Amino acid sequence: MKRWILAVALVVLAVGYLSVSYVVADRLTTAERHPIGRGPQVAAATYEDIALRTSDGLTLKGWFFPVHGDRAAILIHGRHSNRAEYQGRLEHIADFLIAQGFSVLLFDLRGHGDSDGMRFSLGQLERLDVASAIDFVTNRGFDEKRIALLGISLGAGTAIQELLLHPKVGALVSDSSYMDAFTEVEEVLPKEGGVPGWFTPGVFLMTRIAFGLDGDQVRPIAVVRAHPERAFLFIHCDTDPLIRVHHAQDLRAASANSASSLWIAQGCDHAAAMDVYPAEYRTHVLAFLETQIPVSIVR
């Protein structure tokens, strides 16, 4: 009798654990959509409204700012945001890149802004979005080795993982990336999901079963470690409450390239280094890009 009661109790606990895990998984993988509703606010002579088509059939919307020259940059926004994220943060970055002769592509990731989709996967599927952006830029005549990726938060983790598809991309700037999905989810689950961190295995399981997303594939730190030939610029705020600063420190430690660098901005919130220290941000990014994609003879 006691064994039967114990078995029933275990089944009830398991069902309860998985039910809560499903609710949390659904919440954590559903993107908050914020349509753009305006044109770009970028100091460029001209721009193009563009549509990208991903290899899994989604249409993504964006802006392309062509500049005379052979360098290009693709900017990748964060979770629950869009290409005009946080009072035009990416547009401000686009301004100083355009001024330095980079053509710039801004676009909405799947499930965000004006693009198709409803879920995000911390880069597992978003890397397909970036791949479509790279294809667009290379089809406009740019060599992949002359293209820079700059991602913020979700965009940063995605940019690093893009090396799985485009290992020859010219430069990579990672602003506020996570080292891997499991560590990040486990650390933020109490605040973001309202449950203890030990629900993380259940959330990963339900995310895989219910939505076909595999968080175990999301390991930017493994990608960094696998590319000792590549230099990275890592940027992070020391008091970031969403993605703790140790993620950036661990990512930098994983890079065997002596040209990789880490700038830890002091006293700022998640992914806010550009907002609080715009001049320093510009200096760090441009100095790194000049070493990785130096100016060449204009086409």
Side-chain angles (χ1 to χ4, degrees), residues 88-196:
R89 180 185 294 160
L90 288 183
E91 291 169 305
H92 295 319
I93 296 173
D95 277 337
F96 70 68
L97 291 175
I98 290 169
Q100 291 297 311
F102 284 85
S103 294
V104 174
L105 175 61
L106 301 176
F107 72 101
D108 299 329
L109 291 169
R110 63 183 59 210
H112 294 79
D114 298 327
S115 293
D116 290 347
M118 63 172 290
R119 295 194 183 276
F120 67 91
S121 60
L122 290 178
Q124 178 196 350
L125 298 179
E126 287 82 4
R127 67 188 76 159
L128 302 179
D129 303 349
V130 179
S132 68
I134 292 174
D135 289 344
F136 175 90
V137 174
T138 55
N139 286 337
R140 295 296 292 262
F142 292 88
D143 188 318
E144 187 173 314
K145 294 180 181 179
R146 305 289 289 171
I147 299 173
L149 301 181
L150 187 155
I152 297 178
S153 191
L154 165 63
T158 299
I160 294 173
Q161 294 171 82
E162 187 59 32
L163 294 179
L164 296 169
L165 301 179
H166 288 90
K168 295 182 180 180
V169 71
L172 204 153
V173 179
S174 166
D175 180 347
S176 308
S177 178
Y178 36 87
M179 59 185 288
D180 65 74
F182 193 93
T183 302
E184 173 59 13
V185 171
E186 186 176 44
E187 290 177 351
V188 303
L189 208 52
K191 181 178 179 180
E192 295 286 308
V195 296

Side-chain angles (χ1 to χ4, degrees), residues 14-26:
V15 170
Y17 178 82
L18 293 177
S19 296
V20 172
S21 295
Y22 171 82
V23 172
V24 174
D26 181 44

Side-chain angles (χ1 to χ4, degrees), residues 31-39 61 63 80-85 108 111-115:
E32 294 178 8
R33 183 177 296 280
H34 302 284
I36 305 298
R38 64 170 175 81
K61 298 301 182 65
W63 298 316
H80 300 334
S81 189
N82 55 43
R83 71 194 107 135
E85 91 171 338
D108 299 329
H112 294 79
D114 298 327
S115 293

